[in-house]
Each structure stands twice: as C-alpha cells, then as structure tokens.
Amino acid sequence: MNLRPLILGLASTWLVGCQGFPENLQGPRDNPGSQTQLSAGACFSEQPSFADDACLLHDWVSLGLASQRGSRAWREGMLLTLEGEGAEQRLGRAVLLAWGDEAQWDEASELLKADLHAAPARLQPLLRYWLNEVEGRRNLSRRLVEERMEREALAAENEALSEKLDALTAIERNINSRQQTE
C-alpha cells in the first residue's frame, strides 16, 4: 500500500487548516443558522475526537505532531487529560505513547491494535500508519538488542579463543625451548 499520497494529504491539511477544505465540507459560510458552520480556528482542538467533521484528520495529525515534538512532561500531562476507557481516549493515549520512550511503545501498539476498528473510517489509515511506525521502531529496537547481545557473545568468544591461543603459544614455546636444550 502506497502511503505517500495519504502523508502528503495529511501534511497539506495540517499546513492549510480547515480553510483548505471545500465549502461543502466546512459548511455554508453565508448561512448563520447552519449547524455545520466552522470558525477559522475550529481545527485546533487539543483533544481530538471521533466527530467525523472537516477537522477530524487535522486534529489527529496535530496531536501526533505535538506528541512527536513535545517533551516528556507535556506528554505525561496530556496522558492525564485523556484518561478514560473510551476508544477515543485510548487511541489518543496510544498516539502520545507512540512518541514516548521505548518502554511505552508496547502499550501504544496494543492500544492501537485494540481500538483501531472503533475509529471512523477516514481516520483508520492514519492510525494504521502510526501503528506500522511504532511496530517498525519496536522491531528495530529488538534487532538492536539482539545484535548487541550477539556482538557481546562474539566478543566473549573472541576473548576465550585469544586465551586458548596464548596458552597454545606458551606450550609451543615450552616445547621449542626443551628441544633446543636437548
């Protein structure tokens, strides 16, 4: 699956904001009685929701970017605001945890896997992308640990072989010195 068009679309949505959406998605601007009318700042929600409106993707992308750029303290504060057992809150926590330290990646992955299906269809590709990202980082981290352990084992084996070689060299010197004295 080629995710490049999705990523470009999300990036342009983030850069342009709600103003970049067609009129029919934003709601009529000239009709003050319309319930779907959006203000210019409507796409800047700190806590994204599943409300399937023009700002759905923008709000979730904004949370992801803020999570990526934010400090640990900011993420921890946001985790407290996203308490609750609803799929919306759990997925919000997953996005925050996905950009935390390695210890949080497992929980982020489990939350994303468990609640991905509960998200609106328009949001699922983005959440699936983030799941793949966190899974990729988890795999790289595991491989790094495995390679580090393998390198340490090889270094220990090399050290043991060096000691054996030194012992064999000492035995050879001893034999050579005996042969010279005879």
Side-chain angles (χ1 to χ4, degrees), residues 134-146:
V134 79
E135 286 295 319
R137 281 185 270 135
R138 287 175 66 204
N139 288 336
L140 286 174
S141 177
R142 265 191 296 258
R143 255 191 8 220
L144 181 64
V145 168
E146 289 169 1

Side-chain angles (χ1 to χ4, degrees), residues 144-177:
L144 181 64
V145 168
E146 289 169 1
E147 289 174 2
R148 188 176 298 136
M149 289 172 42
E150 186 178 328
R151 191 172 48 249
E152 289 171 1
L154 288 172
E157 183 181 349
N158 189 30
E159 182 65 31
L161 288 173
S162 292
E163 289 174 9
K164 287 181 183 178
L165 182 62
D166 289 344
L168 288 173
T169 303
I171 291 171
E172 183 181 17
R173 282 191 200 130
N174 191 6
I175 291 172
N176 288 340
S177 69

Side-chain angles (χ1 to χ4, degrees), residues 24-167:
N24 61 350
L25 290 178
Q26 292 184 26
R29 294 182 188 273
D30 298 330
N31 183 357
S34 171
Q35 293 178 346
T36 60
Q37 186 173 5
L38 296 174
S39 67
C43 285
F44 297 102
S45 171
E46 195 166 301
Q47 290 184 351
S49 70
F50 284 170
D52 197 7
D53 61 12
C55 294
L56 174 74
L57 291 175
H58 182 276
D59 287 346
W60 282 89
V61 168
S62 294
L63 177 65
L65 289 173
S67 299
Q68 184 179 7
R69 296 174 183 156
S71 67
R72 178 183 297 194
W74 180 85
R75 277 191 297 276
E76 288 173 3
M78 283 299 294
L79 283 171
L80 294 175
T81 65
L82 290 170
E83 287 182 344
E85 287 306 312
E88 207 170 77
Q89 290 84 15
R90 290 167 43 95
L91 286 171
R93 285 196 308 270
V95 172
L96 293 168
L97 293 169
W99 293 105
D101 55 32
E102 288 184 49
Q104 295 174 321
W105 295 350
D106 291 336
E107 185 179 356
S109 175
E110 295 308 314
L111 288 170
L112 283 165
K113 287 176 186 175
D115 291 318
L116 184 89
H117 68 282
R122 287 183 38 213
L123 184 59
Q124 288 183 11
L126 176 64
L127 294 173
R128 197 169 291 113
Y129 173 78
W130 283 337
L131 173 61
N132 291 339
E133 272 296 307
V134 79
E135 286 295 319
R137 281 185 270 135
R138 287 175 66 204
N139 288 336
L140 286 174
S141 177
R142 265 191 296 258
R143 255 191 8 220
L144 181 64
V145 168
E146 289 169 1
E147 289 174 2
R148 188 176 298 136
M149 289 172 42
E150 186 178 328
R151 191 172 48 249
E152 289 171 1
L154 288 172
E157 183 181 349
N158 189 30
E159 182 65 31
L161 288 173
S162 292
E163 289 174 9
K164 287 181 183 178
L165 182 62
D166 289 344

